[in-house]
Amino acid sequence: MKLEDCKVDGSKKFKLSDHPTSAKVPKAERPAYEAETAQNNKRMSDLQERLYADGREGVVILLQAMDAAGKDSTIAHVMSGVNPQGVGVTSFKVPSKVEAGHDYFWRANVALPQRGYIEIFNRSYYEDVLVVRVDGLWHGYDMPKRCLDMDEQEFFDMRFEQIRNYEKALYQNGYRLIKIMLNVSRKEQKERFLARIDEPAKNWKFSAGDLGPRSKWPQYMAAFEDAIGKTSTPESPWYVIPADQKWYARALVSELVVKVLEEINPQFPEISDEDRAVMMKCREQLMAE
Ligand code: ADP
């Protein structure tokens, strides 16, 4: 399977079931994939330094997934490839009172990186078309009638349009979005939940509440399918990454991040003749010591 097979750019109708949760790579190939990830991380480190020095483009790596799909470990891996000074992580939890008092892009805006930086969104405003849809939370919003007086499809189609416009505006203002869905199977999620229950060192990762979304799996998959299908564009494509084999998913994600950074092609700033002359003077001074 290639990274391109995971890409969804809106050029054809999107069906989640066309995207496997596992590439079924033989286990024996795991070391080769891990070596590839390490290689990609090295490349990422070099590119990030350039991105920072160049300072013209901001990068958002946005992760959405069902629980236990591997968001946290993916983030840890991406982070291990970059200089912590240029990267941040923002986790989007149940909105606080202040957050809920604003429009749903507000907290994402606050979290946007400066140009030259990378910000990882652990969940995002896409929760506002996923959990908010599946749990019907939008019915309880404190908003005027004109914002809510419509049926579900109309309401979320309106949000998809808002998201497309938002992401387009970001792109036009010097941002790149890398949108990733870690596509885990219901069967694999069960195995990972059981491991969280059975292994003491993993107990802290388990919450009984996680079984709620699991019990609404088909509704979540339908919400993901609609959201991904309607917010994929050539500038802001989605990548649906098979996540049942974590090491395989990490290799693809690292390849993707490198690919996008290479597309940005950040350059070290050119030094002006004047600045070079000053530098040469400093050099002479140092050599004379
Ligand atoms: P994670 O599972 O990402 O490690 P948590 O267990 O704290 O972190 O989960 C965050 C929870 O916040 C998720 O259940 C998610 O659906 C919920 N959430 C995030 N954004 C929103 C939102 N806009 N409205 C309602 N719930 C949200």
Side-chain angles (χ1 to χ4, degrees):
M1 202 172 163
K2 291 207 200 78
L3 185 58
E4 277 306 297
D5 301 329
C6 306
K7 186 173 181 176
V8 187
D9 64 6
S11 58
K12 58 178 198 284
K13 192 163 165 50
F14 171 69
K15 266 178 62 198
L16 188 55
S17 56
D18 290 339
H19 291 257
T21 56
S22 172
K24 298 201 169 76
V25 180
K27 256 203 172 132
E29 290 180 31
R30 180 174 175 162
Y33 278 94
E34 286 176 341
E36 204 181 298
T37 304
Q39 234 1 76
N40 287 336
N41 279 1
K42 266 205 198 127
R43 183 88 190 100
M44 206 188 296
S45 167
D46 171 54
L47 285 160
Q48 183 214 1
E49 194 185 359
R50 288 169 180 271
L51 184 83
Y52 181 80
D54 193 7
R56 281 188 293 184
E57 197 132 26
V59 176
V60 175
I61 302 174
L62 183 159
L63 291 165
Q64 287 292 158
M66 296 300 281
D67 291 307
K71 279 188 291 116
D72 290 346
S73 68
T74 302
I75 292 169
H77 266 76
V78 172
M79 294 295 276
S80 74
V82 289
N83 180 343
Q85 290 209 80
V87 193
V89 183
T90 300
S91 295
F92 291 73
K93 308 271 183 188
V94 176
S96 67
K97 214 166 180 298
V98 174
E99 286 169 342
H102 289 82
D103 75 278
Y104 66 101
F105 291 117
W106 181 73
R107 59 180 179 164
N109 268 327
V110 173
L112 283 179
Q114 290 177 54
R115 296 192 193 87
Y117 288 76
I118 299 173
E119 189 72 21
I120 302 174
F121 282 9
N122 181 358
R123 305 181 187 270
S124 66
Y125 46 86
Y126 279 97
E127 290 294 321
D128 296 277
V129 292
L130 294 169
V131 64
V132 166
R133 181 174 194 171
V134 173
D135 286 351
L137 303 177
W138 62 287
H139 294 298
Y141 283 160
D142 284 329
M143 286 206 283
K145 199 165 180 277
R146 71 166 194 281
C147 306
L148 300 170
D149 197 14
M150 55 192 99
D151 69 25
E152 183 189 288
Q153 192 63 54
E154 211 181 328
F155 181 78
F156 287 99
D157 280 343
M158 179 178 76
R159 286 204 156 179
F160 297 142
E161 186 186 4
Q162 291 161 358
I163 290 175
R164 286 194 303 272
N165 290 336
Y166 177 65
E167 293 180 348
K168 187 169 184 185
L170 289 181
Y171 185 78
Q172 289 170 335
N173 281 280
Y175 287 97
R176 292 270 181 157
L177 253 66
I178 306 176
K179 303 189 291 188
I180 297 168
M181 181 212 182
L182 293 177
N183 192 19
V184 76
S185 65
R186 192 161 188 269
K187 185 164 168 279
E188 178 63 22
Q189 188 196 50
K190 177 177 169 181
E191 297 306 316
R192 293 185 189 173
F193 277 167
L194 287 174
R196 289 178 178 190
I197 292 168
D198 295 340
E199 294 172 33
K202 289 187 178 172
N203 286 170
W204 66 275
K205 291 189 189 176
F206 185 74
S207 135
D210 292 346
L211 294 189
R214 178 176 173 78
S215 70
K216 297 177 184 165
W217 196 273
Q219 292 93 311
Y220 268 100
M221 292 307 113
F224 266 110
E225 183 167 88
D226 206 22
I228 292 173
K230 291 177 180 164
T231 59
S232 291
T233 62
E235 310 90 57
S236 290
W238 271 97
Y239 286 83
V240 179
I241 303 282
D244 281 0
Q245 294 173 300
K246 278 191 172 188
W247 41 273
Y248 183 78
R250 280 178 213 139
L252 278 186
V253 169
S254 65
E255 185 187 338
L256 170 60
V257 175
V258 165
K259 183 182 92 96
V260 174
L261 291 174
E262 277 174 348
E263 274 166 21
I264 292 173
N265 191 20
Q267 302 293 326
F268 288 120
E270 292 262 339
I271 291 197
S272 68
D273 291 347
E274 248 167 61
D275 287 346
R276 183 165 302 281
V278 172
M279 237 169 31
M280 285 306 154
K281 277 238 161 67
C282 293
R283 184 172 203 284
E284 273 167 32
Q285 217 172 311
L286 287 166
M287 294 302 283
E289 277 180 11

